[in-house]
Amino acid sequence: MMMTIRRTVLVVLMLSCACIGAVRAERPNIVIFLVDDMGVMDTSVPFLTDDDGTPKRYPLNDYYRTPNMERLAKQGIRFNNFYAMSVCSPTRISIMTGQNASRHQATNWINPEKNNRGPFGPTQWNWKGLKTSDVTLPRLLQGAGYRTIHVGKGHFGARAFEGAEPKNLGFDINVGGASFGAPGSYYGSQNYGLGTRRSHHAVPHLKKYHGSETFLTEALTIEAKPHVTAAVKDDAPFFLYMSHYAVHAPFNSDPRFAANYKDSGKPAPAQAFATLIEGMDKSLGDVLDHLNELGVAENTLVFFLGDNGSDAPLGHQHAVACAAPLRGKKGAHYEGGMRVPFIATWAKASGDNSNQKRLPIVADAIQIQQAAVYDLFPTILALTDLEPRKKHVVDGLRLDTLLTGEPDKKRAETFLMHYPHSPHRSDYFTCYRSGDWKVVYHYFPSKASEDSHYQLYNLAEDPFESKNLATGKPDQLRVMMRGLIASLEQTNALYPVDKTDGGAPLKPKLP
Amino acid sequence: MMMTIRRTVLVVLMLSCACIGAVRAERPNIVIFLVDDMGVMDTSVPFLTDDDGTPKRYPLNDYYRTPNMERLAKQGIRFNNFYAMSVCSPTRISIMTGQNASRHQATNWINPEKNNRGPFGPTQWNWKGLKTSDVTLPRLLQGAGYRTIHVGKGHFGARAFEGAEPKNLGFDINVGGASFGAPGSYYGSQNYGLGTRRSHHAVPHLKKYHGSETFLTEALTIEAKPHVTAAVKDDAPFFLYMSHYAVHAPFNSDPRFAANYKDSGKPAPAQAFATLIEGMDKSLGDVLDHLNELGVAENTLVFFLGDNGSDAPLGHQHAVACAAPLRGKKGAHYEGGMRVPFIATWAKASGDNSNQKRLPIVADAIQIQQAAVYDLFPTILALTDLEPRKKHVVDGLRLDTLLTGEPDKKRAETFLMHYPHSPHRSDYFTCYRSGDWKVVYHYFPSKASEDSHYQLYNLAEDPFESKNLATGKPDQLRVMMRGLIASLEQTNALYPVDKTDGGAPLKPKLP
């Protein structure tokens, strides 16, 4: 009986909404599968391509084992110019709000205990994190009747503030989410940190696994399933935010996969990192299987992504090492610091499903246009027929066209990454990509930036950032710096300051 | 006794505020002298320059008579790349909020009676206007103890809504401000419109001049003075928003000045337009004299500006005519449509005044860097030690450095003008300037746009926009279009739609 009433309401809605072409039976379920500190090269799926657009394998693709990502990539489309912020909280809050970090102003990773601005960071940055009153993706979905499920890492706000608890941000359920970013331990035998010297990072809500051999990644996967099952049983569409602590440090080796890397010749921490990757990949497979078992895979849209560039312990942060052939790693201003894997697909293909007809995602394809983490917000809202609140500015752009495999000429193809923090004076930077060009502005020139405020690269000709053109191409440098400065201003950016105790904001200068 | 207490409070404030170097006796008074529909060429003051930066007179400078603007220009600095929106309400609300029109979304002139979106305009644009709860410049100044005085044209909101009454927006006093933009009549003998067929635009609060020979511009000037006098007497700093209906149509000839133009050979409406200009200029002189008589000129900062390009009735809107040698006029996407006069100065120079020491404006100088109407908001707030509200995004940049005559390399030197309206399909456009380059995107290509979406100009080599480089410079066109698209997205722009009854938003495309 309830079913009949619900259908009637939907038909009325459908008839009154001119913008929907096809008949819709059900709103789609949404899964965001977010992996911490995973860069675009930390997988056996090749994301980079040859000049002619065919996927190209590099040695790291042969080192890592991610069969379930391979399965996902075969079903859907992957992006090879997908950008995240260079550290975690900024990306996570961008996913929640659809805003660039320079706008939401949580520009650094949140230290749960204090203002982590760095000695020259802006005092007023959003170090307390998201608030109950903020417009968030789960809040909007919750308001539309979605069951909103948070599993894993939160890191949305400092310990004493509202964002520490995902339930304050629109999640109905929270398993494992808290104010911190790194787990106390991945080991059940170590109670995920509780009672160790890393107790302040002990992962909550997992008491039943304490003292067991269950690895954290596995425990979170086991915990997620019944919440999804319950939503399906209750006939509620669901939003599963499956946010693994893996593959963030500490690099605890997952014994289930350690043998796969023992003869790799790589150092022990890099081997442990690979086991974290493989354990995360198993979780992905388990979640996909569960959706199939429940019979909801055809109506469930999966977004897989990393939250910042690789943190693989393989070399210096400015070298071609951790994300080779890309230069740099997590935190750095090079591509290896901000390019992440992104795969989107319906969990199971279907010719009949009306949501799939509405958003036909192409299989086994690579999209080469730029996109970024904040694009998820408007894409998901559009697909669920929700409007963002009028006063809430969204920097993201809908991915619909790109997901079908087509080019989208309405995208500016620009990306702004603003990082006015760091313990090291030399690491305060903003970078801006527009088309093939990328400029990096260093607030405090040093040897790390070759003693200049500016670095300029043409990523079409020099994808691995070996040749700084700042001196040789002064006109292009000025064009790019105008774009950088305008984007900062238009997104309400906060700037580094010139003294450790505060002082004047250091706005970037034209050369 | 009151005086003593107030001084004490100020001294305490001063000691507790590390950011103020010099001793400050009083907060400065602020005058914004805003002229409706006045472009950069509608004056005897030459704003344009030779290649070497010296002012260059053009025939229109010899046609108009503005001796008080000449006096003001001699005292202070004028800008020759100062941008306004191409019609009035967008600029007025940008001055109030510090935001680009694409962000505050009042992108067209407000029709007091209805949604003036135009057949293809976005339905949701901000046609109702400013609200009581909005953050505005007068509201912030009012909260800081300023006497906030509105005289003249309002045009901040439609008749049935809060913005129709300037007192709802932070003004203590309102003389003459209402929902409409054009006065019913400039003639006292016609009761400024009351009782005529233009009664719905009758200027309010001026009953005592009804039936008299007092021209509207004069009546508003007479009315402004006692409010300034009262603020000075009460020892309150004041913000005078002196917003003339002049020189907006109807082009009623001001008999006091008609003789000056009768032998000009220009058509009657153009002669009337010139009398409106000269009457406005007399008002400027009267206000400056009044500040001197009250002894507050040294502590009063005057900003003189127009609200959009010229509406002089001298030729076609796309021709080199109304703002010659600039191409275009009010409403058009050419420079003549959006460049306005801007002069900033202390009303009287003083070596002793602490506010003048803090902001030393150079005399008789021309600033060639770009600036725009929304820059007033952060400039005035900084000078009065006010912070904008945290959640209120400001697009404007402080003018301090430019006012001293120096270059400011921290400015992006970009300007976005978004106009998704018009009764004519061919007139929906966005234009974007970055450095020397300017691109115009036409949503509906037509003969007016040479049948292409794109127009591209290099304003350094071709300041009068005679040579469209869109076809010849495809790389530069793409760079500029990326900037245009990104700026629209970053300022939360609303787009034209593809059908007259609504339909899909038409976002600009890369070429």
Side-chain angles (χ1 to χ4, degrees):
Chain A
M1 189 57 195
M2 272 307 288
M3 194 62 150
T4 314
I5 291 168
R6 207 166 147 258
R7 286 263 157 82
T8 313
V9 171
L10 277 168
V11 170
V12 171
L13 276 173
M14 193 190 76
L15 292 174
S16 68
C17 180
C19 58
I20 301 177
V23 173
R24 292 183 54 211
E26 302 282 349
R27 284 172 294 176
N29 307 304
I30 308 288
V31 175
I32 291 181
F33 196 100
L34 178 63
V35 189
D36 202 25
D37 283 358
M38 182 187 184
V40 71
M41 294 305 300
D42 304 332
T43 166
S44 55
V45 176
F47 276 81
L48 303 193
T49 59
D50 267 333
D51 284 348
D52 66 358
T54 55
K56 182 165 178 181
R57 296 191 72 79
Y58 286 91
L60 285 176
N61 296 131
D62 294 329
Y63 175 53
Y64 295 109
R65 295 172 183 239
T66 55
N68 292 294
M69 281 183 70
E70 290 173 32
R71 165 183 167 192
L72 204 70
K74 196 154 262 167
Q75 278 178 242
I77 190 163
R78 58 195 193 271
F79 285 43
N80 69 359
N81 275 296
F82 198 88
Y83 284 97
M85 307 296 143
S86 70
V87 294
C88 50
S89 301
T91 284
R92 287 156 192 276
I93 294 178
S94 288
I95 291 172
M96 290 293 124
T97 60
Q99 298 180 332
N100 192 300
S102 65
R103 190 185 303 280
H104 63 58
Q105 302 186 339
T107 33
N108 200 5
W109 61 272
I110 291 172
N111 183 317
E113 321 301 343
K114 60 180 187 195
N115 185 337
N116 182 33
R117 70 179 180 97
F120 300 95
T123 322
Q124 299 298 318
W125 77 284
N126 186 7
W127 69 274
K128 296 174 186 172
L130 283 171
K131 294 193 297 294
T132 302
S133 59
D134 285 334
V135 175
T136 66
L137 181 60
R139 177 76 72 206
L140 294 171
L141 291 171
Q142 186 181 53
Y146 272 72
R147 182 77 50 88
T148 53
I149 308 165
H150 181 285
V151 179
K153 170 168 166 167
H155 211 185
F156 301 121
R159 196 182 298 270
F161 301 97
E162 295 164 351
E165 171 51 62
K167 284 187 183 173
N168 290 334
L169 307 176
F171 283 106
D172 297 321
I173 293 149
N174 171 30
V175 181
S179 59
F180 50 82
S185 165
Y186 283 95
Y187 296 127
S189 59
Q190 293 181 355
N191 306 333
Y192 309 118
L194 192 69
T196 73
R197 63 180 179 82
R198 290 176 56 80
S199 262
H200 58 302
H201 281 205
V203 181
H205 318 126
L206 300 176
K207 207 164 178 191
K208 64 174 115 160
Y209 306 95
H210 285 189
S212 81
E213 294 304 309
T214 312
F215 205 75
L216 175 59
T217 310
E218 183 76 9
L220 293 172
T221 311
I222 296 170
E223 286 296 300
K225 290 185 196 175
H227 291 297
V228 174
T229 307
V232 173
K233 213 167 148 187
D234 295 346
D235 210 14
F238 62 84
F239 167 49
L240 171 62
Y241 178 77
M242 185 77 208
S243 163
H244 277 293
Y245 282 95
V247 299
H248 197 291
F251 299 134
N252 295 152
S253 178
D254 187 334
R256 298 174 295 171
F257 310 106
N260 291 337
Y261 308 96
K262 71 177 174 30
D263 300 326
S264 65
K266 293 271 199 300
Q271 292 192 29
F273 184 84
T275 69
L276 292 176
I277 289 281
E278 193 166 351
M280 167 288 294
D281 184 79
K282 174 180 183 297
S283 168
L284 173 64
D286 292 349
V287 169
L288 293 174
D289 289 345
H290 190 64
L291 296 173
N292 275 298
E293 284 154 20
L294 291 171
V296 297
E298 295 180 7
N299 201 40
T300 302
L301 188 55
V302 179
F303 297 104
F304 177 101
L305 74 163
D307 74 335
N308 47 241
S310 177
D311 196 32
L314 287 166
H316 186 272
Q317 68 157 348
H318 289 175
V320 177
C322 309
L326 296 177
R327 191 173 177 186
K329 64 171 290 192
K330 176 184 181 182
H333 53 278
Y334 295 108
E335 293 292 290
M338 54 195 83
R339 290 256 283 281
V340 296
F342 177 78
I343 308 174
T345 185
W346 292 97
K348 183 183 177 186
S350 160
D352 294 334
N353 182 278
S354 57
N355 284 313
Q356 294 201 29
K357 283 182 186 159
R358 191 178 177 200
L359 180 63
I361 300 181
V362 66
D364 200 12
I366 296 190
Q367 176 57 262
I368 59 169
Q369 266 192 266
Q370 287 176 46
V373 289
Y374 39 66
D375 293 334
L376 286 180
F377 183 96
T379 304
I380 292 170
L381 290 193
L383 196 69
T384 52
D385 295 326
L386 287 166
E387 287 288 329
R389 309 271 166 86
K390 189 162 189 292
K391 288 276 177 185
H392 180 76
V393 179
V394 174
D395 293 303
L397 301 172
R398 286 170 57 173
L399 295 169
D400 311 32
T401 304
L402 296 184
L403 294 176
T404 67
E406 295 298 312
D408 184 348
K409 289 196 156 198
K410 292 175 182 171
R411 300 177 71 84
E413 297 278 290
T414 58
F415 176 66
L416 174 74
M417 225 297 286
H418 181 47
Y419 190 59
H421 302 284
S422 174
H424 312 293
R425 208 175 133 90
S426 59
D427 288 349
Y428 288 70
F429 69 86
T430 302
C431 86
Y432 180 68
R433 181 170 175 182
S434 177
D436 293 335
W437 289 90
K438 173 179 174 176
V439 69
V440 187
Y441 181 80
H442 294 276
Y443 291 85
F444 304 101
S446 73
K447 279 203 181 130
S449 56
E450 301 163 39
D451 282 315
S452 158
H453 280 297
Y454 311 103
Q455 285 180 294
L456 179 71
Y457 298 99
N458 184 317
L459 295 178
E461 291 164 11
D462 179 23
F464 310 135
E465 301 171 280
S466 62
K467 207 166 126 195
N468 180 3
L469 302 173
T471 310
K473 294 267 190 191
D475 288 349
Q476 186 64 27
L477 179 62
R478 282 178 72 84
V479 166
M480 292 296 293
M481 281 302 298
R482 285 190 207 288
L484 180 147
I485 293 173
S487 289
L488 284 171
E489 291 294 332
Q490 285 163 356
T491 53
N492 215 22
L494 297 173
Y495 298 92
V497 290
D498 61 357
K499 298 196 194 79
T500 53
D501 58 352
L506 287 174
K507 298 193 179 190
K509 289 182 297 189
L510 288 175
Chain B
M1 189 57 195
M2 272 307 289
M3 194 61 152
T4 313
I5 291 169
R6 202 164 150 261
R7 285 264 157 80
T8 312
V9 172
L10 276 168
V11 169
V12 171
L13 275 173
M14 195 188 74
L15 292 174
S16 67
C17 181
C19 59
I20 301 176
V23 173
R24 292 182 53 210
E26 302 283 348
R27 285 172 295 176
N29 306 304
I30 308 288
V31 175
I32 292 182
F33 196 101
L34 178 63
V35 189
D36 203 23
D37 283 357
M38 182 187 184
V40 71
M41 294 305 299
D42 303 331
T43 167
S44 54
V45 176
F47 276 80
L48 303 193
T49 59
D50 267 333
D51 285 347
D52 65 357
T54 55
K56 181 165 178 181
R57 297 190 73 81
Y58 286 91
L60 285 176
N61 296 130
D62 294 329
Y63 174 54
Y64 295 110
R65 294 172 184 240
T66 56
N68 292 293
M69 282 183 69
E70 290 172 33
R71 164 182 168 192
L72 203 69
K74 196 155 261 168
Q75 279 178 242
I77 189 164
R78 58 194 194 270
F79 285 41
N80 69 359
N81 276 295
F82 198 87
Y83 284 98
M85 307 296 145
S86 71
V87 293
C88 48
S89 301
T91 285
R92 286 156 194 275
I93 294 179
S94 288
I95 292 171
M96 290 292 124
T97 61
Q99 297 180 333
N100 192 300
S102 65
R103 190 186 303 282
H104 63 59
Q105 303 187 338
T107 34
N108 201 5
W109 62 271
I110 290 172
N111 182 318
E113 320 302 342
K114 61 180 186 194
N115 184 337
N116 182 34
R117 70 179 180 97
F120 300 95
T123 322
Q124 300 298 319
W125 77 285
N126 187 8
W127 68 274
K128 296 174 186 171
L130 283 171
K131 295 194 296 295
T132 303
S133 58
D134 285 334
V135 175
T136 65
L137 181 60
R139 177 77 72 207
L140 294 171
L141 291 170
Q142 186 181 53
Y146 273 72
R147 181 78 49 89
T148 53
I149 307 165
H150 181 284
V151 179
K153 170 168 167 167
H155 211 186
F156 300 122
R159 194 182 300 270
F161 301 97
E162 295 164 351
E165 170 52 61
K167 284 186 183 174
N168 290 334
L169 307 176
F171 284 106
D172 297 322
I173 293 149
N174 171 30
V175 181
S179 60
F180 51 82
S185 165
Y186 283 95
Y187 296 126
S189 57
Q190 295 181 352
N191 306 332
Y192 308 118
L194 192 70
T196 73
R197 64 181 178 83
R198 290 178 55 81
S199 261
H200 58 302
H201 282 206
V203 181
H205 317 129
L206 299 176
K207 207 163 177 192
K208 66 174 114 160
Y209 306 94
H210 286 189
S212 80
E213 293 304 308
T214 313
F215 206 74
L216 175 58
T217 311
E218 183 75 10
L220 292 172
T221 311
I222 295 169
E223 286 297 300
K225 291 185 195 175
H227 290 297
V228 173
T229 306
V232 172
K233 211 167 148 188
D234 294 347
D235 209 13
F238 62 84
F239 167 49
L240 171 63
Y241 179 77
M242 186 78 208
S243 165
H244 277 294
Y245 282 95
V247 297
H248 196 291
F251 300 134
N252 296 152
S253 178
D254 188 333
R256 296 174 295 170
F257 310 105
N260 292 337
Y261 307 96
K262 72 177 172 32
D263 300 325
S264 65
K266 293 271 198 300
Q271 291 192 30
F273 184 85
T275 69
L276 292 175
I277 289 280
E278 192 166 351
M280 168 286 295
D281 184 79
K282 174 180 184 298
S283 168
L284 173 64
D286 291 350
V287 168
L288 292 174
D289 289 345
H290 190 64
L291 296 172
N292 274 300
E293 284 156 20
L294 291 171
V296 297
E298 295 180 7
N299 201 39
T300 301
L301 187 56
V302 179
F303 297 105
F304 177 101
L305 74 164
D307 74 336
N308 48 241
S310 176
D311 196 31
L314 287 167
H316 187 270
Q317 68 159 349
H318 289 176
V320 177
C322 309
L326 296 176
R327 191 172 176 186
K329 64 172 288 192
K330 175 185 183 183
H333 52 278
Y334 294 109
E335 292 294 289
M338 54 196 82
R339 291 256 284 282
V340 295
F342 177 77
I343 308 173
T345 185
W346 292 99
K348 183 182 177 185
S350 159
D352 294 335
N353 182 277
S354 57
N355 284 312
Q356 293 200 28
K357 283 182 185 159
R358 192 178 176 200
L359 180 63
I361 300 180
V362 65
D364 199 14
I366 296 190
Q367 176 57 262
I368 60 168
Q369 267 192 267
Q370 287 176 46
V373 288
Y374 40 65
D375 294 334
L376 286 179
F377 183 96
T379 305
I380 292 170
L381 290 193
L383 195 70
T384 53
D385 295 325
L386 286 166
E387 286 288 328
R389 308 273 166 87
K390 188 161 190 288
K391 288 275 176 186
H392 180 78
V393 179
V394 174
D395 293 303
L397 301 172
R398 285 171 58 173
L399 295 168
D400 310 32
T401 303
L402 296 184
L403 293 176
T404 66
E406 294 301 311
D408 184 346
K409 288 196 155 199
K410 292 176 183 170
R411 301 177 72 85
E413 296 278 289
T414 58
F415 176 67
L416 175 74
M417 225 296 287
H418 182 47
Y419 190 60
H421 301 283
S422 176
H424 312 295
R425 208 174 133 90
S426 59
D427 287 348
Y428 289 70
F429 69 86
T430 303
C431 85
Y432 180 68
R433 180 170 176 182
S434 176
D436 293 336
W437 290 90
K438 173 180 174 175
V439 68
V440 187
Y441 182 81
H442 294 276
Y443 291 86
F444 305 100
S446 73
K447 281 205 181 128
S449 56
E450 301 165 38
D451 281 315
S452 158
H453 280 297
Y454 311 102
Q455 284 179 294
L456 180 70
Y457 298 99
N458 183 318
L459 295 178
E461 291 165 11
D462 178 24
F464 309 136
E465 299 171 283
S466 62
K467 207 167 125 195
N468 179 5
L469 301 174
T471 310
K473 295 266 190 192
D475 288 349
Q476 186 64 29
L477 179 61
R478 283 178 72 83
V479 166
M480 290 297 293
M481 280 302 298
R482 286 190 207 288
L484 180 147
I485 293 173
S487 289
L488 284 172
E489 291 294 331
Q490 286 162 358
T491 54
N492 214 22
L494 298 173
Y495 298 92
V497 290
D498 61 357
K499 298 196 194 80
T500 53
D501 58 352
L506 287 174
K507 297 192 180 191
K509 289 183 296 190
L510 289 175

